[in-house]
Amino acid sequence: MFDLKRYLLERASWINERLADFVPSIYAKPFLLSEAIHYSLFAGGKRLRPILCVASAEAAGGDGEAALPVACALEMIHTYSLVHDDLPCMDDDDYRRGKLTSHKVYGENMAILVGDALLTHAFTVLSSYGAEDPAARLQIIREISRAAGPSGMVAGQTQDVLSEGRAVDPETLEYIHVHKTGDMFAAAIRSGAMTAGAPDRMLDALTEYAEAFGMAFQITDDILDMAGDSGKMGKTAGGDNKLGKGTYPSLFGLERSREMARDFIRKGLRALEALPEERTEPLRAIIEYLAGRET
Ligand code: GRG
């Protein structure tokens, strides 16, 4: 039987090793910047996006290790987004990944710079090592920059900020989730497949999986925020409610939200049927794990 725990631990250790190569602990001065970058990057994130990128490369018939530079760049962008999201002018969070947030330890100015550094460094890594084939490298840079930028994650975050304290309708909530969270998951899964030179038909199936994954992830994140255990999550539960944010459970109730998450998980599993079964075990197990996740 497929051992998901072992797979996640092994892939996370590949990713952590390469991340440490790409982000050395001591850059040229000022040392404080390297220290603050390391503090957030190695704070114990689940490495879901980079793991999905590697698993998708494998599902497309490629070599997972060859996708590691892209996987690491995705984690840098994700960590930047968390550091900026936690700032007092955004979600104003004190804890992330079980530790004090970056601005709580290093100050707001440093936390902004940590995010700036991680976002830009990700593109140094992508443009230097993203894929052997220059056309694939460019395709991956376009994919990830679009997902992180003003029609992707930043658009979702902007709508989220503008919706604070207001009643959101289901379409606005979906827009926020699709862009703030879903686009980076889709980029992780699609860019992993691109490192393996996946044909369009395969990319389409993986995109369908990715979109379902993003929604299932975000709905379970909302459920955890309402009903989860802060200790296990490493951040404070109830934060969305405190900020007056619309969430799936606040709009649809906990039970209906759980059903919706399960529907998206089933949809993601169906999309994978277009790929060879023996190569999709990790992607299937990862989406199934969302139904019971506690962190
Ligand atoms: C600041 C431009 C900008 C964007 C921020 C990602 C994001 C956009 C905000 C994070 C806020 C949040 C809690 C969103 C819900 C989904 C999410 C991205 C959760 C955190 O991802 P995990 O659970 O975290 O994969 P780890 O720490 O395991 O990496």
Side-chain angles (χ1 to χ4, degrees):
M1 217 187 95
F2 179 70
D3 186 345
L4 176 64
K5 200 169 166 199
R6 187 164 159 214
Y7 181 86
L8 294 177
L9 282 173
E10 191 177 275
R11 296 301 179 277
S13 87
W14 290 3
I15 289 153
N16 288 334
E17 259 175 50
R18 288 305 289 278
L19 267 177
D21 288 344
F22 287 131
V23 188
S25 55
I26 304 182
Y27 274 124
K29 286 181 185 173
F31 176 65
L32 189 64
L33 179 63
S34 304
E35 185 189 310
I37 290 173
H38 265 243
Y39 177 82
S40 292
L41 198 55
F42 295 99
K46 295 184 285 298
R47 308 305 194 210
L48 257 184
R49 294 149 193 81
I51 290 172
L52 284 166
C53 173
V54 168
S56 177
E58 292 167 345
D63 168 15
E65 289 194 62
L68 284 174
V70 175
C72 290
L74 288 158
E75 186 64 21
M76 290 176 211
I77 297 172
H78 170 59
T79 302
Y80 125 73
S81 77
L82 298 181
V83 170
H84 280 192
D85 186 64
D86 291 334
L87 286 166
C89 60
M90 297 264 188
D91 270 9
D92 193 12
D93 273 311
D94 292 352
Y95 288 93
R96 169 71 65 184
R97 294 175 162 172
K99 294 168 71 177
L100 282 172
T101 42
S102 180
H103 65 272
K104 281 276 159 194
V105 177
Y106 294 99
E108 276 181 54
N109 47 9
M110 284 304 296
I112 290 171
L113 293 166
V114 164
D116 295 343
L118 283 168
L119 175 61
T120 43
H121 192 53
F123 287 94
T124 306
V125 171
L126 286 172
S127 53
S128 309
Y129 312 104
E132 292 257 317
D133 170 35
R137 203 181 289 189
L138 203 56
Q139 185 189 25
I140 290 166
I141 293 172
R142 191 184 311 115
E143 177 76 26
I144 296 177
S145 53
R146 199 215 58 80
S151 55
M153 183 172 68
V154 175
Q157 179 75 354
T158 305
Q159 188 58 57
D160 195 24
V161 165
L162 294 175
S163 305
E164 249 171 50
R166 295 165 189 241
V168 289
D169 53 54
E171 291 93 89
T172 308
L173 186 62
E174 189 178 335
Y175 178 92
I176 292 171
H177 288 345
V178 163
H179 295 293
K180 188 174 91 166
T181 314
D183 283 351
M184 283 298 289
F185 277 121
I189 290 158
R190 285 171 51 83
S191 62
M194 287 170 185
T195 66
D200 284 349
R201 184 190 54 79
M202 209 179 255
L203 272 181
D204 289 346
L206 286 167
T207 305
E208 242 180 83
Y209 166 84
E211 285 170 0
F213 186 99
M215 289 306 294
F217 178 89
Q218 185 59 59
I219 296 172
T220 53
D221 206 73
D222 283 359
I223 293 171
L224 282 174
D225 191 77
M226 182 175 274
D229 175 332
S230 304
K232 284 185 183 157
M233 289 191 290
K235 62 178 185 183
T236 318
D240 293 339
N241 190 31
K242 187 185 82 188
L243 290 168
K245 286 194 181 191
T247 64
Y248 275 85
S250 69
L251 276 186
F252 300 102
L254 272 174
E255 215 22 67
R256 175 78 193 109
S257 302
R258 288 196 180 104
E259 269 169 37
M260 289 165 94
R262 279 194 289 268
D263 284 345
F264 279 113
I265 291 170
R266 275 193 286 273
K267 196 166 173 228
L269 290 170
R270 270 199 308 276
L272 291 178
E273 286 168 12
L275 279 84
E277 199 183 336
E278 67 283 4
R279 293 209 302 251
T280 56
E281 261 187 327
L283 289 179
R284 279 186 276 136
I286 297 171
I287 199 169
E288 278 173 339
Y289 133 96
L290 289 181
R293 83 183 178 107
E294 293 185 323
T295 64

